[in-house]
Amino acid sequence: SAVSELNAGRLTFAVNRLYYAVFYSATALLYAKGKSYVKHSAVRAAFHRDFVQTGVLDKAFGKLYDELFQARHQGDYTPLTEFDKGIISKQLGDVVKLQAKLKTLSL
């Protein structure tokens, strides 16, 4: 859905969909390790602690999660927020790369 939103020029919605793609992936990854969290910030912290800081995932994926976390929050709660389509397009490509990497992990 992020691709559709991006193509339609609905950038705030595209950011939201990209963020949730990463959030749900991180949640599933942590759940596979027997961990579950209620807060978005807790999922993000655990993702960094268990996968980025340990070297299982590249630091660039941690940075991507952080950027999307901030952008989604800004888009959802700050009126008149505008996003750059080029940046979102790059983030979309990075989310696709993250998804591909997660499929190769054996937990």
Side-chain angles (χ1 to χ4, degrees):
S1 65
V3 173
S4 296
E5 298 295 354
L6 180 63
N7 289 339
R10 294 185 294 263
L11 303 183
T12 299
F13 291 113
V15 167
N16 180 283
R17 297 294 80 206
L18 288 174
Y19 167 74
Y20 275 102
V22 174
F23 171 76
Y24 290 136
S25 295
T27 299
L29 194 59
L30 291 161
Y31 187 79
K33 289 188 71 171
K35 300 177 179 185
S36 65
Y37 303 91
V38 175
K39 293 183 162 197
H40 286 244
S41 58
V43 171
R44 184 171 148 230
F47 178 83
H48 278 278
R49 181 188 64 239
D50 293 358
F51 299 103
V52 177
Q53 292 175 359
T54 60
V56 172
L57 293 173
D58 191 277
K59 290 181 182 181
F61 293 129
K63 182 180 178 189
L64 173 65
Y65 195 160
D66 292 345
E67 288 172 357
L68 290 170
F69 180 88
Q70 298 279 1
R72 195 272 316 177
H73 192 272
Q74 185 178 8
D76 285 357
Y77 300 107
T78 304
L80 305 174
T81 298
E82 293 186 20
F83 293 102
D84 181 280
K85 189 171 184 175
I87 292 172
I88 297 171
S89 294
K90 182 188 179 318
Q91 289 171 328
L92 173 63
D94 292 342
V95 169
V96 169
K97 289 175 189 173
L98 173 59
Q99 298 290 328
K101 176 63 178 174
L102 295 180
K103 289 178 184 178
T104 68
L105 297 181
S106 59
L107 302 173

